[in-house]
Amino acid sequence: MANEFDWNYEETKSDFESEQIPNGDYRMIIRGAEKAMSKDTVNPKKMIKLKLGVSGYAKNIYHYIVFLPNNREITNRNLTNFFRSFGIEGGNFNLNSYLGKEGAGRIEIDSNGYEKVKYFLEGTMKDRLPAFAPPAKKAKVVETKQEEDDIPF
């Protein structure tokens, strides 16, 4: 497609998009929590969709806690694990109160190459991890100051 810049644009991934989080245990922070429904059209299930920041990485990963009416034990186990890891009172379903809470979890790469939270960590497993850290910064490009006469436009 012709354009006034005479540029052939090709979409590329940013440094942060292509950065994969390796398998391991990480501190996490809740950046988003919302009510969702599964895609199953025959028997849809309620879910909590969590947007999680991972210590040392700029990318967010998503985790879903699915409410299984036919298997309350599994649902309650997953909720208890989540609540304990993030220091949320058991049975608190005020999703807005989750924002900014810190916990920890085990990340594993699935067969499609996506990072998934295998389970959340609590107690000594969580406590042995270093504090949550922001993403590592890329080297900064230092630009030289230009005089007005040197500006190319």
Side-chain angles (χ1 to χ4, degrees), residues 23 31 42 96 107 121:
N23 291 342
R31 294 194 172 135
V42 176
N96 288 331
I107 292 181
L121 304 173

Side-chain angles (χ1 to χ4, degrees), residues 5-131:
F5 297 105
D6 192 29
W7 187 264
N8 183 18
Y9 171 75
E10 294 178 22
E11 186 170 341
T12 58
K13 290 184 177 183
S14 74
D15 290 338
F16 295 126
E17 286 178 304
S18 60
E19 180 179 37
Q20 187 168 57
I21 302 169
N23 291 342
D25 296 343
Y26 296 92
R27 290 272 181 176
M28 299 175 180
I29 190 167
I30 299 173
R31 294 194 172 135
E34 62 185 64
K35 184 178 176 181
M37 293 295 286
S38 67
K39 293 180 182 178
D40 184 345
T41 56
V42 176
N43 190 15
K45 294 171 183 59
K46 294 179 183 178
M47 305 185 298
I48 297 174
K49 178 182 176 182
L50 299 168
K51 179 180 178 181
L52 302 167
V54 179
S55 184
Y57 292 89
K59 112 191 305 190
N60 295 307
I61 59 173
Y62 292 88
H63 181 73
Y64 303 86
I65 299 174
V66 181
F67 290 80
L68 304 169
N70 296 331
N71 202 332
R72 298 179 66 80
E73 184 180 340
I74 288 176
T75 302
N76 284 324
R77 187 179 325 128
N78 291 337
L79 286 166
T80 299
N81 184 243
F82 165 70
F83 289 144
R84 287 181 180 171
S85 182
F86 286 88
I88 298 168
E89 184 178 345
N92 174 2
F93 294 105
N94 177 359
L95 304 184
N96 288 331
S97 71
Y98 298 0
L99 300 180
K101 298 280 188 182
E102 290 187 20
R106 164 86 36 97
I107 292 181
E108 292 187 2
I109 309 301
D110 71 10
S111 59
N112 295 316
Y114 294 106
E115 301 97 337
K116 301 287 183 185
V117 176
K118 184 79 172 173
Y119 52 83
F120 292 109
L121 304 173
E122 54 184 285
T124 57
M125 290 180 71
K126 174 182 157 184
D127 294 340
R128 68 179 169 77
L129 295 174

